[in-house]
Every structure is written in structure tokens, then in C-alpha cells.
């Protein structure tokens, strides 16, 4: 843990594979977790992480030394995930793309959340489908079209889900 | 950073058991904090991480796809076929560059002598028309030569029907050689229909080379046919009438050769199934 990420990236651009390995050890784990919250298929997540480090290996100079390298990595990883999801069939069921754990407990969460009036509870009360849309559009800053391909639903559905989510959150905060 | 979610929350986040609102706030923190990233990373299955690393290294060590291969994959050509076609020597960019260069000379000669007095404009076309039919035959010879073909081993072990593979590669080679030739032929000065007079001879030569390749090494077959073509044309062109070698007789002859070659290839298709390749 002696070298900073930026130093590792500089070494990678010299073709140093040990540096790539160090960078991988430092970042692959949390990228797997964070991508896993956006895509329920572990294979797709694995492929996206692989693509990310492949992109880093091939174009380490794309990092211009501005900002946190971790944020830069996340940006690549999210794009790679979108690419991979697009390449898979569009017709897979929506439930697969939502976090599997979230699907199972969604109804319980709705019931538990009724008693709270804060934003956190309002968020937790959203159905998994709506939550996935809010996560993609608000947290990750994806466009409607990108969100649609990530979740495997039409763009129109993304818009209506976003509207429904807004309405529910507003109501949740008001009570 | 002063606030940290704590190991328990990080573990729950990594395992996906946090509620949405908690997970989002942990995630926002993890994005900024290297320490907590390390903690969360420690919670991920190392077997999974090693598997991803291994496949990443494999991908790094794998030869990069050639541009032509990537174009083919993008156009919907199956992966394995694209790799085989991409490894065909006569489908590479240097090859195409050589084709364009050689034919470019023919074109340049046609243009430079076109304006001169006492030179028959038709005669100026001879270099181009002589060389153009050699391009596909050279491509076919190179594509199926053991010496030049880096994919020989792959193709020999390919699960594809070998005869089908042969046809696919031939069509790909002939098509890619003929497209630049055709474009340049259309730039010939005052050529009229003569601009297309090389096409049938070209196909006939390529077909004959494939057939001859079942008896001889492809390079020898291609070279002898090419030589025969050049000698034949020059022999006829010694006479007083320009471009007589590209008249209807030749076209007819070429069509016959092409038809016969196709028939022989069909006849001999089984030959490709027992391991011998032309």
C-alpha cells in the first residue's frame, strides 16, 4: 500500500504488470460489490470488472492525473457494465437485474417503512424496480436510455418509474 | 475523513444485506474513502476475484484482434470465422496496400501514356489489364499456402466443414482483391467496357489455381498460372492489333475455365475431408 493509485497508473503505462496487479487488488473488490448492486447477474459483473482492468492496462494514460483515480475507475467500470448488459439479450426478465436480495425482502421493507417519515425510509419503501431506476439515474447519473438498457426495460418505462418514484418519495417525506 | 460506517456496515454492504438507504450512504462514503474501500474489498470472495484476474490476464496475453477481424465481428460474422478470415494473409491491410500499389502503377501508366501522340489509347490499358487478373490468383495462392498462412494449423483442425471453409476463404479473398481492382478499373482513361475485361480472366485464374492447388503446392499452382497468363497475353499482344487478348474469345475461354474449375472443385470436394488441403 506504499504507492498511490496515480503512481501505479504511471507504472502501468510503462507496461508494469505488477502495478496492474496491485491496482487490481486494491480496487477489484469494491468494484465487484458496487457493480453487483446494479446488475444481478454475477457473470456480467465479472466481465465488466475484467473489461475495466483491461481498459486500464491498454490505456492507462486516459487518466490525466486529475481527481481521484478510484472515481475514474468507477466511471470506466460503469460504462463497461452498460456495454456488457447491452450485449446480453434485452429480453431477460427485469427481476434478474435488480439486486436479488432486494427482491426477496421488498414487501417486508414496505411494511416496516410505513412508520418512518424520513427520506431513508421513503427510499427503502420504494419497490425494487423504482429503486433501481433512482439508483441508475440519480446516483450514477445515467441517461434515460442508458438506464433502460441497464435494466432491460423500454425508455418509456424508465420515465414513468422515475415519476412514480418521485411521487412516492415526496409523499413519504410529507407524512 | 472523520466519519466511517464501521466494519459491520461495510460487511453488510459488501454482502448486499443493507437496506437501500443505508447501502447508498455507505456507497457514497466508500467511493471517497480508500480505507473503507479496502475493508469492503476484504469482504469479497477471493476465489471470485482471482477468477476475474485470471481471465483479465488471459485477455491481456491474447493476441489483439486485427482491425479487419473487429470489423467482421461488428458485421455479425461469427467469432471463430472472423479469426480464421482475419488470419488469412491476403486479407490483411499490407496485402491490400500492395494490391492498390501494384494496380496503381498500371493506372498511372495508362494515364501517363493516354495523352501522348502516336500511342494507341487502348494500348495504354495493357499494363493494368495484364496485372489485375493476377491479384485474386495471388491472394488465393497465399491464402492456402502452408508457408504463408499463419492459420494453417487452426484451419486444419477447424470443426467447420473444410470445403465450406475453403469456399468462405476463397470468396472473402477474391472479393477483397477485386473490390479495389474494380474501383481503380473505373478510373482508367477512355476504357469503356474494356475496364471490365479483366474480371472474367481474374475469376478463371483464381478458380483454376484452386483446382491446380489440389495437385500442386498452392504457391506453385498460382505462380505457374500467373506466368502462363502473362506469357499468353504478351504473346498475343506482339501482333499488330492492340488488346486482342481481351476480346470476346478470351472472355469466352475464361468463362469456360471458370465453369470447369467449379465443376472439378465440386467433384473433388471429398478430397478436403481427409485432411489434405489444397
Amino acid at each position: 500500500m506504499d504507492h498511490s493509485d496515480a503512481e501505479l497508473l504511471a507504472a502501468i503505462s510503462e507496461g508494469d504488470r505488477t502495478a496492474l496487479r496491485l491496482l487490481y487488488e486494491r480496487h477489484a473488490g469494491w468494484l465487484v460489490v458496487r457493480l453487483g448492486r446494479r446488475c444481478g447477474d454475477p457473470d456480467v459483473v465479472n466481465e465488466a470488472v475484467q473489461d475495466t482492468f483491461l481498459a486500464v492496462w491498454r490505456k492507462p494514460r486516459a487518466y490525466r492525473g486529475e481527481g481521484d483515480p478510484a472515481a475514474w475507475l468507477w466511471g470506466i467500470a460503469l460504462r463497461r457494465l452498460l456495454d456488457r448488459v447491452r450485449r446480453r439479450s434485452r429480453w431477460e426478465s427485469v427481476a434478474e437485474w435488480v439486486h436479488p436480495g432486494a427482491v426477496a425482502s421488498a414487501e417486508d421493507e414496505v411494511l416496516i417503512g410505513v412508520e418512518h417519515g424520513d427520506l431513508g425510509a421513503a427510499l427503502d419503501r420504494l419497490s425494487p424496480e423504482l429503486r433501481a431506476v433512482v439508483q441508475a439515474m440519480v446516483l450514477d447519473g445515467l441517461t434515460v436510455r442508458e438506464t433502460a438498457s441497464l435494466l432491460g426495460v423500454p425508455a418509456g418505462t424508465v420515465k414513468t418509474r422515475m415519476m412514480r418514484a418521485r411521487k412516492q418519495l415526496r409523499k413519504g417525506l410529507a407524512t | 475523513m472523520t466519519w466511517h460506517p464501521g466494519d459491520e456496515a461495510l460487511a453488510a454492504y459488501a454482502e448486499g444485506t443493507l437496506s437501500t438507504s443505508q447501502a447508498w450512504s455507505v456507497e457514497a462514503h466508500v467511493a471517497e474513502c480508500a480505507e473503507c474501500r479496502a475493508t469492503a474489498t476484504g469482504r469479497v470472495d477471493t476465489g471470485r476475484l482471482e477468477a476475474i484476474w485470471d481471465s483479465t490476464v488471459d485477455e491481456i496475453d491474447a493476441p489483439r484482434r486485427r482491425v479487419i477481424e473487429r470489423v467482421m465481428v461488428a458485421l455479425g460474422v461469427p467469432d471463430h470465422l472472423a479469426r480464421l478470415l482475419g488470419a488469412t494473409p491476403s486479407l490483411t491491410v499490407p496485402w491490400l496496400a500492395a494490391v492498390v500499389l501494384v494496380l496503381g502503377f498500371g493506372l498511372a501508366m495508362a494515364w501517363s501514356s493516354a495523352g501522348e501522340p502516336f500511342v494507341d489509347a487502348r494500348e495504354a490499358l495493357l499494363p493494368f489489364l495484364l496485372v489485375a487478373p493476377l491479384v485474386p490468383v495471388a491472394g488465393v495462392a497465399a491464402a492456402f499456402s502452408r508457408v504463408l498462412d499463419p492459420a494453417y494449423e487452426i484451419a486444419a483442425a477447424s470443426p467447420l466443414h473444410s470445403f465450406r471453409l475453403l469456399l468462405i476463404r476463397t470468396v472473402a479473398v477474391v472479393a477483397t482483391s477485386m473490390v479495389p481492382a474494380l474501383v481503380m478499373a473505373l478510373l482508367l482513361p477512355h476504357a469503356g467496357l474494356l475496364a471490365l475485361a479483366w474480371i472474367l480472366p481474374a475469376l478463371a485464374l483464381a478458380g483454376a489455381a484452386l483446382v491446380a492447388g489440389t495437385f500442386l503446392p498452392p504457391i506453385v499452382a498460382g505462380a505457374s498460372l500467373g506466368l502462363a497468363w502473362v506469357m499468353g497475353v504478351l504473346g498475343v499482344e506482339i501482333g499488330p492489333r492492340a488488346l486482342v487478348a481481351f476480346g470476346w474469345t478470351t472472355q469466352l475461354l475464361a468463362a469456360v475455365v471458370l465453369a470447369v474449375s467449379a465443376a472439378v472443385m465440386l467433384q473433388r470436394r471429398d478430397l478436403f475431408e481427409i485432411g489434405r488441403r489444397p
Side-chain angles (χ1 to χ4, degrees):
Chain A
M1 287 289 181
D2 304 324
H3 302 282
S4 73
D5 290 340
E7 283 166 355
L8 287 180
L9 282 168
I12 290 169
S13 67
E14 309 280 313
D16 183 348
R17 206 178 281 192
T18 324
L20 184 72
R21 173 70 201 188
L22 285 173
L23 195 77
Y24 182 86
E25 279 170 8
R26 206 175 286 175
H27 294 288
W30 69 271
L31 286 175
V32 165
V33 172
R34 203 166 167 190
L35 290 177
R37 296 188 49 80
R38 276 127 185 104
C39 171
D41 186 339
D43 289 339
V44 176
V45 171
N46 291 357
E47 288 166 356
V49 173
Q50 175 197 317
D51 290 352
T52 305
F53 285 92
L54 210 56
V56 170
W57 176 252
R58 286 180 180 157
K59 289 194 175 134
R61 289 184 199 284
Y63 176 69
R64 302 196 180 285
E66 295 154 15
D68 186 359
W72 175 71
L73 277 173
W74 169 246
I76 300 176
L78 191 59
R79 298 290 133 190
R80 299 293 112 201
L81 183 74
L82 279 173
D83 275 359
R84 283 288 178 176
V85 169
R86 272 194 206 113
R87 274 193 241 169
R88 296 252 163 163
S89 156
R90 287 158 181 270
W91 305 112
E92 296 191 48
S93 75
V94 179
E96 265 187 73
W97 297 114
V98 184
H99 198 266
V103 176
S105 61
E107 282 175 16
D108 308 66
E109 282 181 25
V110 172
L111 291 176
I112 296 164
V114 173
E115 51 197 299
H116 304 285
D118 59 323
L119 176 63
L123 276 175
D124 292 342
R125 250 177 296 156
L126 289 178
S127 73
E129 290 84 2
L130 299 189
R131 218 183 289 159
V133 169
V134 174
Q135 173 169 275
M137 294 196 63
V138 179
L139 258 58
D140 298 338
L142 300 182
T143 64
V144 170
R145 189 180 290 228
E146 287 166 337
T147 304
S149 68
L150 178 67
L151 302 179
V153 297
T157 311
V158 169
K159 284 187 205 159
T160 50
R161 283 189 186 164
M162 191 64 207
M163 261 159 52
R164 270 166 54 206
R166 275 211 193 96
K167 215 177 274 174
Q168 284 193 24
L169 287 176
R170 206 173 294 140
K171 222 160 84 189
L173 286 176
T175 50
Chain B
M1 207 151 308
T2 50
W3 180 84
H4 295 281
D7 288 2
E8 250 175 71
L10 284 169
Y13 166 69
E15 280 148 23
T17 50
L18 278 188
S19 72
T20 304
S21 52
Q22 283 174 302
W24 284 1
S25 57
V26 169
E27 191 168 275
H29 173 77
V30 162
E32 304 281 315
C33 172
E35 237 175 279
C36 291
R37 276 202 295 270
T39 313
T41 294
R43 286 296 180 153
V44 180
D45 176 20
T46 46
R48 183 179 181 186
L49 289 180
E50 282 313 304
I52 303 175
W53 170 254
D54 288 344
S55 62
T56 307
V57 171
D58 281 352
E59 201 65 33
I60 287 174
D61 289 333
R64 291 206 66 175
R65 287 168 182 280
R66 291 222 185 87
V67 175
I68 195 152
E69 239 178 289
R70 272 178 276 161
V71 169
M72 281 189 282
V73 171
L75 290 176
V77 177
D79 243 11
H80 58 285
L81 210 57
R83 167 125 315 171
L84 266 176
L85 287 175
T88 305
S90 29
L91 284 180
T92 56
V93 172
W95 176 274
L96 286 180
V99 167
V100 169
L101 197 68
V102 168
L103 293 180
F105 272 121
L107 192 61
M109 283 169 79
W111 273 104
S112 67
S113 48
E116 284 176 29
F118 313 118
V119 177
D120 186 340
R122 287 152 56 92
E123 214 165 296
L125 302 176
L126 183 61
F128 186 91
L129 293 178
L130 181 65
V131 172
L134 296 176
V135 170
V137 79
V140 168
F144 296 112
S145 145
R146 279 178 196 226
V147 187
L148 295 182
D149 180 5
Y152 176 77
E153 308 294 341
I154 310 177
S158 162
L160 274 180
H161 203 277
S162 328
F163 188 66
R164 216 187 119 218
L165 177 63
L166 176 102
L167 288 186
I168 291 171
R169 284 186 102 179
T170 306
V171 168
V173 166
V174 171
T176 45
S177 320
M178 292 192 55
V179 167
L182 193 62
V183 169
M184 297 177 83
L186 295 177
L187 299 175
L188 284 171
H190 324 295
L193 267 184
L194 269 172
L196 306 177
W198 56 274
I199 293 178
L200 265 177
L203 292 175
L205 277 174
L210 268 186
V211 171
T214 59
F215 307 99
L216 302 167
I219 293 278
V220 176
S224 356
L225 278 162
L227 198 65
W229 161 256
V230 172
M231 302 299 280
V233 170
L234 290 182
V236 178
E237 291 299 326
I238 283 175
R241 282 179 54 214
L243 293 192
V244 71
F246 293 90
W248 290 110
T249 331
T250 310
Q251 301 298 327
L252 199 63
L253 195 67
V256 171
V257 170
L258 185 60
V260 171
S261 309
V264 174
M265 284 307 281
L266 272 177
Q267 192 74 48
R268 294 172 67 89
R269 60 193 294 177
D270 292 338
L271 203 73
F272 304 103
E273 302 315 314
I274 50 173
R276 254 197 72 181
R277 289 179 67 231

